Amino acid sequence: MITHRVRAALLAASLLLTGCGGGAAASPDRKAPDPATTAAAPSTPAPEAAAQTVPQQLPGLGPKTRSAVPASARQVVVVTGRGRDSPLSEAVLYRRTGTGWQPGPAWPAHNALRGWTDHHLSGDLRSPIGVYGLTDAGGRLPDPGTRLPYDRSTGGFRSPGTGFEGESLAGSFDYVIAIDYNRKPGTSPLDWTRPLGAERGGGIWIHIDHGGPTHGCVSIAEPHMRELLRALDPALHPVVVMGDHASLAR
């Protein structure tokens, strides 16, 4: 029987030149958003709600976490893990309105196999806790209508092999959104630039869920991934706030 340690090592090797903790050279066919094709992209989905039910502050975030959210951010993806060592989490997209933070639906999500950390290191199989920009996207499939710069690469966004629970990783990187942890914003998700150094890891993305824990990324189902890509608007300065519930409440 293959142990989690052996399987983790195999997965880390297979992802070294892709994402979710790895990296690669930028793809040459990266494109900027085309106003002619993206101007009609739908706005952030928001359910009907009375003004008094819209939270004035992002739910579940303590003062330390809230203070790290830029004042310019009008879209925030809050990814809340079940526990410090759990790979299970939930993602909600909030949009700031005149009456407060309007929530979208709650989406089931996965994070890294061993949970979360305040000091992410390459290969630790934990997702980094913090507040990070969402500036760039890409994937193996054509642009689904996002307003983020989108880098399509059929060769760069490879997801070979199987996950920690034996599930296929095929299609996991059909769509990805780069999380601006230890990367250079404004570049392809495949860019290998690591401002904090290679030992601090990188290639942390939001990508399509494959039904199991990730190497360091956050994953959601494909329909939700498409919805998120279409909703995010660079003009609203989107960020992700991610971590286990106890850490986010600090």
Side-chain angles (χ1 to χ4, degrees), residues 122-150:
S122 179
D124 67 5
L125 298 181
R126 290 184 179 272
S127 297
I129 297 168
V131 179
Y132 307 104
L134 298 174
T135 56
D136 305 279
R140 191 179 62 84
L141 296 182
D143 181 355
T146 185
R147 281 166 281 190
L148 298 175
Y150 189 88

PDB file of all heavy atoms in Angstrom, residues 122-150:
ATOM      1  N   SER A 122       8.037  25.304   0.461  1.00  0.00           N
ATOM      2  CA  SER A 122       7.877  24.393  -0.666  1.00  0.00           C
ATOM      3  C   SER A 122       7.826  22.944  -0.180  1.00  0.00           C
ATOM      4  O   SER A 122       8.699  22.495   0.566  1.00  0.00           O
ATOM      5  CB  SER A 122       9.044  24.577  -1.637  1.00  0.00           C
ATOM      6  OG  SER A 122       8.922  23.697  -2.732  1.00  0.00           O
ATOM      7  N   GLY A 123       6.791  22.227  -0.584  1.00  0.00           N
ATOM      8  CA  GLY A 123       6.669  20.822  -0.241  1.00  0.00           C
ATOM      9  C   GLY A 123       6.069  20.526   1.107  1.00  0.00           C
ATOM     10  O   GLY A 123       5.981  19.354   1.490  1.00  0.00           O
ATOM     11  N   ASP A 124       5.612  21.552   1.860  1.00  0.00           N
ATOM     12  CA  ASP A 124       5.067  21.259   3.190  1.00  0.00           C
ATOM     13  C   ASP A 124       3.628  20.759   3.153  1.00  0.00           C
ATOM     14  O   ASP A 124       3.075  20.347   4.167  1.00  0.00           O
ATOM     15  CB  ASP A 124       5.196  22.466   4.121  1.00  0.00           C
ATOM     16  CG  ASP A 124       4.331  23.662   3.714  1.00  0.00           C
ATOM     17  OD1 ASP A 124       3.545  23.552   2.747  1.00  0.00           O
ATOM     18  OD2 ASP A 124       4.454  24.733   4.367  1.00  0.00           O
ATOM     19  N   LEU A 125       3.012  20.774   1.967  1.00  0.00           N
ATOM     20  CA  LEU A 125       1.642  20.280   1.779  1.00  0.00           C
ATOM     21  C   LEU A 125       0.650  21.020   2.665  1.00  0.00           C
ATOM     22  O   LEU A 125      -0.323  20.448   3.154  1.00  0.00           O
ATOM     23  CB  LEU A 125       1.566  18.773   2.018  1.00  0.00           C
ATOM     24  CG  LEU A 125       2.413  17.912   1.068  1.00  0.00           C
ATOM     25  CD1 LEU A 125       2.240  16.438   1.378  1.00  0.00           C
ATOM     26  CD2 LEU A 125       2.069  18.202  -0.391  1.00  0.00           C
ATOM     27  N   ARG A 126       0.893  22.316   2.871  1.00  0.00           N
ATOM     28  CA  ARG A 126      -0.041  23.196   3.564  1.00  0.00           C
ATOM     29  C   ARG A 126      -0.287  24.437   2.704  1.00  0.00           C
ATOM     30  O   ARG A 126       0.617  24.893   2.001  1.00  0.00           O
ATOM     31  CB  ARG A 126       0.501  23.606   4.932  1.00  0.00           C
ATOM     32  CG  ARG A 126       0.533  22.458   5.937  1.00  0.00           C
ATOM     33  CD  ARG A 126       0.991  22.925   7.308  1.00  0.00           C
ATOM     34  NE  ARG A 126       1.006  21.835   8.270  1.00  0.00           N
ATOM     35  CZ  ARG A 126      -0.043  21.479   9.017  1.00  0.00           C
ATOM     36  NH1 ARG A 126      -1.181  22.159   8.914  1.00  0.00           N
ATOM     37  NH2 ARG A 126       0.036  20.476   9.858  1.00  0.00           N
ATOM     38  N   SER A 127      -1.507  24.963   2.767  1.00  0.00           N
ATOM     39  CA  SER A 127      -1.846  26.172   2.027  1.00  0.00           C
ATOM     40  C   SER A 127      -1.475  27.401   2.855  1.00  0.00           C
ATOM     41  O   SER A 127      -1.639  27.395   4.077  1.00  0.00           O
ATOM     42  CB  SER A 127      -3.348  26.200   1.709  1.00  0.00           C
ATOM     43  OG  SER A 127      -3.712  25.119   0.870  1.00  0.00           O
ATOM     44  N   PRO A 128      -0.991  28.455   2.208  1.00  0.00           N
ATOM     45  CA  PRO A 128      -0.586  29.652   2.949  1.00  0.00           C
ATOM     46  C   PRO A 128      -1.788  30.457   3.445  1.00  0.00           C
ATOM     47  O   PRO A 128      -2.721  30.742   2.691  1.00  0.00           O
ATOM     48  CB  PRO A 128       0.215  30.451   1.918  1.00  0.00           C
ATOM     49  CG  PRO A 128      -0.310  30.007   0.596  1.00  0.00           C
ATOM     50  CD  PRO A 128      -0.689  28.567   0.765  1.00  0.00           C
ATOM     51  N   ILE A 129      -1.756  30.837   4.713  1.00  0.00           N
ATOM     52  CA  ILE A 129      -2.782  31.685   5.300  1.00  0.00           C
ATOM     53  C   ILE A 129      -2.475  33.134   4.940  1.00  0.00           C
ATOM     54  O   ILE A 129      -1.316  33.559   4.979  1.00  0.00           O
ATOM     55  CB  ILE A 129      -2.814  31.524   6.830  1.00  0.00           C
ATOM     56  CG1 ILE A 129      -3.183  30.071   7.206  1.00  0.00           C
ATOM     57  CG2 ILE A 129      -3.776  32.510   7.477  1.00  0.00           C
ATOM     58  CD1 ILE A 129      -2.955  29.758   8.667  1.00  0.00           C
ATOM     59  N   GLY A 130      -3.497  33.909   4.598  1.00  0.00           N
ATOM     60  CA  GLY A 130      -3.246  35.315   4.349  1.00  0.00           C
ATOM     61  C   GLY A 130      -4.238  35.952   3.405  1.00  0.00           C
ATOM     62  O   GLY A 130      -5.273  35.364   3.052  1.00  0.00           O
ATOM     63  N   VAL A 131      -3.916  37.175   2.998  1.00  0.00           N
ATOM     64  CA  VAL A 131      -4.714  37.959   2.062  1.00  0.00           C
ATOM     65  C   VAL A 131      -3.851  38.218   0.837  1.00  0.00           C
ATOM     66  O   VAL A 131      -2.762  38.795   0.944  1.00  0.00           O
ATOM     67  CB  VAL A 131      -5.161  39.292   2.694  1.00  0.00           C
ATOM     68  CG1 VAL A 131      -5.977  40.107   1.692  1.00  0.00           C
ATOM     69  CG2 VAL A 131      -5.966  39.054   3.964  1.00  0.00           C
ATOM     70  N   TYR A 132      -4.333  37.795  -0.337  1.00  0.00           N
ATOM     71  CA  TYR A 132      -3.512  37.860  -1.545  1.00  0.00           C
ATOM     72  C   TYR A 132      -4.348  38.374  -2.716  1.00  0.00           C
ATOM     73  O   TYR A 132      -5.556  38.103  -2.817  1.00  0.00           O
ATOM     74  CB  TYR A 132      -2.964  36.470  -1.900  1.00  0.00           C
ATOM     75  CG  TYR A 132      -2.250  35.798  -0.755  1.00  0.00           C
ATOM     76  CD1 TYR A 132      -2.847  34.769  -0.038  1.00  0.00           C
ATOM     77  CD2 TYR A 132      -0.977  36.211  -0.370  1.00  0.00           C
ATOM     78  CE1 TYR A 132      -2.205  34.155   1.024  1.00  0.00           C
ATOM     79  CE2 TYR A 132      -0.321  35.609   0.692  1.00  0.00           C
ATOM     80  CZ  TYR A 132      -0.941  34.582   1.383  1.00  0.00           C
ATOM     81  OH  TYR A 132      -0.303  33.985   2.450  1.00  0.00           O
ATOM     82  N   GLY A 133      -3.696  39.098  -3.619  1.00  0.00           N
ATOM     83  CA  GLY A 133      -4.371  39.601  -4.800  1.00  0.00           C
ATOM     84  C   GLY A 133      -4.746  38.484  -5.764  1.00  0.00           C
ATOM     85  O   GLY A 133      -4.157  37.395  -5.763  1.00  0.00           O
ATOM     86  N   LEU A 134      -5.738  38.769  -6.606  1.00  0.00           N
ATOM     87  CA  LEU A 134      -6.158  37.876  -7.686  1.00  0.00           C
ATOM     88  C   LEU A 134      -6.086  38.691  -8.970  1.00  0.00           C
ATOM     89  O   LEU A 134      -7.035  39.388  -9.332  1.00  0.00           O
ATOM     90  CB  LEU A 134      -7.582  37.358  -7.443  1.00  0.00           C
ATOM     91  CG  LEU A 134      -7.801  36.525  -6.179  1.00  0.00           C
ATOM     92  CD1 LEU A 134      -9.288  36.211  -5.989  1.00  0.00           C
ATOM     93  CD2 LEU A 134      -6.996  35.226  -6.222  1.00  0.00           C
ATOM     94  N   THR A 135      -4.955  38.623  -9.637  1.00  0.00           N
ATOM     95  CA  THR A 135      -4.703  39.519 -10.762  1.00  0.00           C
ATOM     96  C   THR A 135      -4.603  38.831 -12.111  1.00  0.00           C
ATOM     97  O   THR A 135      -4.716  39.506 -13.147  1.00  0.00           O
ATOM     98  CB  THR A 135      -3.395  40.301 -10.529  1.00  0.00           C
ATOM     99  OG1 THR A 135      -2.321  39.360 -10.314  1.00  0.00           O
ATOM    100  CG2 THR A 135      -3.507  41.215  -9.313  1.00  0.00           C
ATOM    101  N   ASP A 136      -4.405  37.509 -12.130  1.00  0.00           N
ATOM    102  CA  ASP A 136      -4.093  36.832 -13.382  1.00  0.00           C
ATOM    103  C   ASP A 136      -4.740  35.456 -13.424  1.00  0.00           C
ATOM    104  O   ASP A 136      -4.898  34.798 -12.397  1.00  0.00           O
ATOM    105  CB  ASP A 136      -2.577  36.687 -13.540  1.00  0.00           C
ATOM    106  CG  ASP A 136      -1.868  38.026 -13.432  1.00  0.00           C
ATOM    107  OD1 ASP A 136      -1.852  38.758 -14.433  1.00  0.00           O
ATOM    108  OD2 ASP A 136      -1.369  38.348 -12.336  1.00  0.00           O
ATOM    109  N   ALA A 137      -5.087  35.035 -14.630  1.00  0.00           N
ATOM    110  CA  ALA A 137      -5.746  33.743 -14.810  1.00  0.00           C
ATOM    111  C   ALA A 137      -5.180  33.045 -16.037  1.00  0.00           C
ATOM    112  O   ALA A 137      -4.378  33.607 -16.794  1.00  0.00           O
ATOM    113  CB  ALA A 137      -7.257  33.935 -14.952  1.00  0.00           C
ATOM    114  N   GLY A 138      -5.604  31.821 -16.237  1.00  0.00           N
ATOM    115  CA  GLY A 138      -5.163  31.063 -17.396  1.00  0.00           C
ATOM    116  C   GLY A 138      -5.757  29.668 -17.356  1.00  0.00           C
ATOM    117  O   GLY A 138      -6.626  29.363 -16.545  1.00  0.00           O
ATOM    118  N   GLY A 139      -5.263  28.817 -18.232  1.00  0.00           N
ATOM    119  CA  GLY A 139      -5.752  27.452 -18.247  1.00  0.00           C
ATOM    120  C   GLY A 139      -5.522  26.764 -19.568  1.00  0.00           C
ATOM    121  O   GLY A 139      -5.057  27.364 -20.547  1.00  0.00           O
ATOM    122  N   ARG A 140      -5.862  25.491 -19.573  1.00  0.00           N
ATOM    123  CA  ARG A 140      -5.714  24.691 -20.791  1.00  0.00           C
ATOM    124  C   ARG A 140      -6.827  24.989 -21.792  1.00  0.00           C
ATOM    125  O   ARG A 140      -6.633  24.871 -23.004  1.00  0.00           O
ATOM    126  CB  ARG A 140      -5.729  23.201 -20.418  1.00  0.00           C
ATOM    127  CG  ARG A 140      -5.319  22.247 -21.541  1.00  0.00           C
ATOM    128  CD  ARG A 140      -5.336  20.813 -21.058  1.00  0.00           C
ATOM    129  NE  ARG A 140      -6.671  20.401 -20.644  1.00  0.00           N
ATOM    130  CZ  ARG A 140      -7.611  19.946 -21.477  1.00  0.00           C
ATOM    131  NH1 ARG A 140      -7.345  19.840 -22.776  1.00  0.00           N
ATOM    132  NH2 ARG A 140      -8.794  19.591 -21.031  1.00  0.00           N
ATOM    133  N   LEU A 141      -7.997  25.382 -21.285  1.00  0.00           N
ATOM    134  CA  LEU A 141      -9.148  25.652 -22.143  1.00  0.00           C
ATOM    135  C   LEU A 141      -9.207  27.130 -22.528  1.00  0.00           C
ATOM    136  O   LEU A 141      -8.577  27.971 -21.888  1.00  0.00           O
ATOM    137  CB  LEU A 141     -10.434  25.257 -21.418  1.00  0.00           C
ATOM    138  CG  LEU A 141     -10.594  23.765 -21.093  1.00  0.00           C
ATOM    139  CD1 LEU A 141     -11.936  23.506 -20.422  1.00  0.00           C
ATOM    140  CD2 LEU A 141     -10.437  22.898 -22.339  1.00  0.00           C
ATOM    141  N   PRO A 142      -9.989  27.458 -23.567  1.00  0.00           N
ATOM    142  CA  PRO A 142     -10.113  28.862 -23.975  1.00  0.00           C
ATOM    143  C   PRO A 142     -10.711  29.723 -22.864  1.00  0.00           C
ATOM    144  O   PRO A 142     -11.403  29.235 -21.969  1.00  0.00           O
ATOM    145  CB  PRO A 142     -11.064  28.795 -25.186  1.00  0.00           C
ATOM    146  CG  PRO A 142     -10.932  27.401 -25.701  1.00  0.00           C
ATOM    147  CD  PRO A 142     -10.689  26.540 -24.494  1.00  0.00           C
ATOM    148  N   ASP A 143     -10.421  31.010 -22.931  1.00  0.00           N
ATOM    149  CA  ASP A 143     -10.936  31.985 -21.989  1.00  0.00           C
ATOM    150  C   ASP A 143     -12.462  31.878 -21.907  1.00  0.00           C
ATOM    151  O   ASP A 143     -13.153  32.002 -22.919  1.00  0.00           O
ATOM    152  CB  ASP A 143     -10.531  33.383 -22.481  1.00  0.00           C
ATOM    153  CG  ASP A 143     -10.993  34.505 -21.579  1.00  0.00           C
ATOM    154  OD1 ASP A 143     -11.719  34.251 -20.602  1.00  0.00           O
ATOM    155  OD2 ASP A 143     -10.625  35.660 -21.875  1.00  0.00           O
ATOM    156  N   PRO A 144     -13.027  31.644 -20.706  1.00  0.00           N
ATOM    157  CA  PRO A 144     -14.480  31.503 -20.586  1.00  0.00           C
ATOM    158  C   PRO A 144     -15.210  32.845 -20.504  1.00  0.00           C
ATOM    159  O   PRO A 144     -16.431  32.868 -20.350  1.00  0.00           O
ATOM    160  CB  PRO A 144     -14.628  30.729 -19.272  1.00  0.00           C
ATOM    161  CG  PRO A 144     -13.478  31.194 -18.443  1.00  0.00           C
ATOM    162  CD  PRO A 144     -12.343  31.389 -19.419  1.00  0.00           C
ATOM    163  N   GLY A 145     -14.480  33.964 -20.603  1.00  0.00           N
ATOM    164  CA  GLY A 145     -15.116  35.275 -20.539  1.00  0.00           C
ATOM    165  C   GLY A 145     -14.707  36.077 -19.330  1.00  0.00           C
ATOM    166  O   GLY A 145     -15.488  36.886 -18.828  1.00  0.00           O
ATOM    167  N   THR A 146     -13.488  35.874 -18.855  1.00  0.00           N
ATOM    168  CA  THR A 146     -13.015  36.607 -17.690  1.00  0.00           C
ATOM    169  C   THR A 146     -12.490  37.986 -18.090  1.00  0.00           C
ATOM    170  O   THR A 146     -12.067  38.192 -19.235  1.00  0.00           O
ATOM    171  CB  THR A 146     -11.918  35.836 -16.947  1.00  0.00           C
ATOM    172  OG1 THR A 146     -11.566  36.530 -15.752  1.00  0.00           O
ATOM    173  CG2 THR A 146     -10.677  35.657 -17.806  1.00  0.00           C
ATOM    174  N   ARG A 147     -12.509  38.921 -17.154  1.00  0.00           N
ATOM    175  CA  ARG A 147     -11.904  40.230 -17.366  1.00  0.00           C
ATOM    176  C   ARG A 147     -10.465  40.269 -16.862  1.00  0.00           C
ATOM    177  O   ARG A 147      -9.774  41.269 -17.054  1.00  0.00           O
ATOM    178  CB  ARG A 147     -12.766  41.306 -16.690  1.00  0.00           C
ATOM    179  CG  ARG A 147     -13.985  41.680 -17.518  1.00  0.00           C
ATOM    180  CD  ARG A 147     -14.990  42.484 -16.706  1.00  0.00           C
ATOM    181  NE  ARG A 147     -15.771  41.598 -15.847  1.00  0.00           N
ATOM    182  CZ  ARG A 147     -16.850  41.983 -15.163  1.00  0.00           C
ATOM    183  NH1 ARG A 147     -17.240  43.245 -15.224  1.00  0.00           N
ATOM    184  NH2 ARG A 147     -17.520  41.124 -14.422  1.00  0.00           N
ATOM    185  N   LEU A 148     -10.016  39.211 -16.227  1.00  0.00           N
ATOM    186  CA  LEU A 148      -8.608  39.112 -15.838  1.00  0.00           C
ATOM    187  C   LEU A 148      -7.767  38.772 -17.065  1.00  0.00           C
ATOM    188  O   LEU A 148      -8.248  38.107 -17.993  1.00  0.00           O
ATOM    189  CB  LEU A 148      -8.422  38.019 -14.794  1.00  0.00           C
ATOM    190  CG  LEU A 148      -9.139  38.183 -13.453  1.00  0.00           C
ATOM    191  CD1 LEU A 148      -8.920  36.939 -12.594  1.00  0.00           C
ATOM    192  CD2 LEU A 148      -8.674  39.427 -12.727  1.00  0.00           C
ATOM    193  N   PRO A 149      -6.497  39.206 -17.115  1.00  0.00           N
ATOM    194  CA  PRO A 149      -5.611  38.713 -18.175  1.00  0.00           C
ATOM    195  C   PRO A 149      -5.594  37.186 -18.144  1.00  0.00           C
ATOM    196  O   PRO A 149      -5.471  36.591 -17.076  1.00  0.00           O
ATOM    197  CB  PRO A 149      -4.249  39.305 -17.796  1.00  0.00           C
ATOM    198  CG  PRO A 149      -4.564  40.495 -16.942  1.00  0.00           C
ATOM    199  CD  PRO A 149      -5.813  40.142 -16.188  1.00  0.00           C
ATOM    200  N   TYR A 150      -5.711  36.571 -19.322  1.00  0.00           N
ATOM    201  CA  TYR A 150      -5.869  35.117 -19.390  1.00  0.00           C
ATOM    202  C   TYR A 150      -4.806  34.519 -20.308  1.00  0.00           C
ATOM    203  O   TYR A 150      -4.676  34.902 -21.472  1.00  0.00           O
ATOM    204  CB  TYR A 150      -7.264  34.767 -19.916  1.00  0.00           C
ATOM    205  CG  TYR A 150      -7.628  33.303 -19.820  1.00  0.00           C
ATOM    206  CD1 TYR A 150      -8.229  32.785 -18.673  1.00  0.00           C
ATOM    207  CD2 TYR A 150      -7.379  32.433 -20.875  1.00  0.00           C
ATOM    208  CE1 TYR A 150      -8.568  31.444 -18.576  1.00  0.00           C
ATOM    209  CE2 TYR A 150      -7.714  31.090 -20.791  1.00  0.00           C
ATOM    210  CZ  TYR A 150      -8.309  30.601 -19.637  1.00  0.00           C
ATOM    211  OH  TYR A 150      -8.637  29.265 -19.537  1.00  0.00           O
TER     212      TYR A 150
END
